[in-house]
Amino acid sequence: MVVKFSDLKSKEIIHILNGDRVGFISDFEIDFETGKVLSVTVPGSYKALGLLGKEPDKIIKWESIKKIGDDLIIIE
């Protein structure tokens, strides 16, 4: 399967066990020697409209991605 980064950025990530909406992909970590994607980054949400800072970014290991659908990415 070939997927463009721009296509993945538009898919919402959902946690399969609790149904939480995790967010949208902002970045990838790629091993240039093997060409494999190691993880994806989802930016943390802002607290109190950004006045109280921001939560840390979420790093999701590629192995945690269980399904990439038309509209969603399912993680475990």
Side-chain angles (χ1 to χ4, degrees), residues 3-71:
V3 179
K4 293 190 271 182
F5 176 65
S6 58
D7 292 338
L8 287 178
K9 283 179 53 173
S10 66
K11 299 176 189 291
E12 187 170 19
I13 298 175
I14 304 292
H15 198 283
I16 195 168
L17 298 178
N18 56 20
D20 283 348
R21 293 177 163 199
V22 179
F24 294 87
I25 295 174
S26 66
D27 205 358
F28 284 93
E29 182 181 5
I30 298 173
D31 182 338
F32 280 115
E33 291 181 13
T34 64
K36 292 184 178 181
V37 177
L38 302 176
S39 64
V40 297
T41 303
V42 176
S45 57
Y46 288 97
K47 301 176 186 176
L49 302 174
L51 298 174
L52 299 177
K54 181 179 149 187
E55 294 179 2
D57 291 346
K58 298 173 186 104
I59 307 298
I60 300 168
K61 300 267 185 213
W62 189 254
E63 295 84 29
S64 297
I65 296 176
K66 299 303 174 192
K67 179 77 175 170
I68 299 175
D70 292 337
D71 300 321

